[in-house]
Amino acid sequence: MSDLTPSDPPLILSVSGVRGIVGKTMTPEVAENFAAAFGAYIKATTDRDWPLVCLGRDSRPSGAELAVAVAKGLARAGCDVVDLGVVATPTVGVMIGQRDAAGGMVVTASHNPNPWNGLKCLNADGVAPPPDVAAQIIRAYQENHSGRVDPGPAMN
């Protein structure tokens, strides 16, 4: 992370995923590692050799670079990625069902202003994972496992 000042907001990790200020708390490295933690969860909870994950993004200028990093992280975790390009978040949810995907990720900061961007995780049902699962994904990211998630009780 570069050029952080005490007044900069932190990287926000929540049930909604992760979001931060592009180039400061939200970088391609952060995106790749968070996606790898999510991909490891997907891989650990499906019987597929290369589970499919749908990837979409909003039209923010930083979205393309972050989407490339997300795809790298998901692939590093053993997931196959279909890049949907610029689409609305609900479209990614619909495409998860259409493609029989194991989950999805959206590069978006939702209602936050333009310097922000983030990543939303979607499960096989096209919705955010429940809080206990989100907490495990966050913990894996924070512990820098980035590709190895130990499936605990909430992951079964």
Side-chain angles (χ1 to χ4, degrees):
M1 293 179 225
S2 61
D3 302 323
L4 286 176
T5 67
S7 63
D8 285 326
L11 185 68
I12 299 171
L13 297 155
S14 71
V15 70
S16 297
V18 59
R19 60 189 183 279
I21 301 290
V22 174
K24 293 187 177 188
T25 55
M26 175 53 69
T27 64
E29 180 182 27
V30 168
E32 182 177 341
N33 289 335
F34 189 82
F38 177 63
Y41 160 75
I42 293 290
K43 180 84 171 170
T45 58
T46 155
D47 58 358
R48 302 173 191 182
D49 288 335
W50 282 86
L52 182 64
V53 177
C54 292
L55 170 61
R57 64 182 176 90
D58 68 16
S59 61
R60 291 169 196 262
S62 59
E65 179 181 33
L66 293 175
V68 168
V70 166
K72 284 182 187 177
L74 291 168
R76 189 173 86 210
C79 296
D80 194 10
V81 179
V82 59
D83 188 345
L84 304 171
V86 177
V87 296
T89 298
T91 302
V92 177
V94 169
M95 291 306 295
I96 290 168
Q98 290 293 313
R99 298 294 303 260
D100 191 30
M105 186 161 269
V106 186
V107 179
T108 181
S110 188
H111 64 281
N112 295 103
N114 196 32
W116 288 81
N117 214 334
L119 311 175
K120 287 187 179 186
C121 302
L122 301 175
N123 65 20
D125 295 324
V127 297
D132 57 337
V133 171
Q136 285 187 297
I137 295 164
I138 290 167
R139 188 169 50 253
Y141 166 74
Q142 290 172 325
E143 292 172 357
N144 199 21
H145 289 155
S146 307
R148 292 175 302 193
V149 172
D150 183 24
M155 291 184 154
N156 295 326

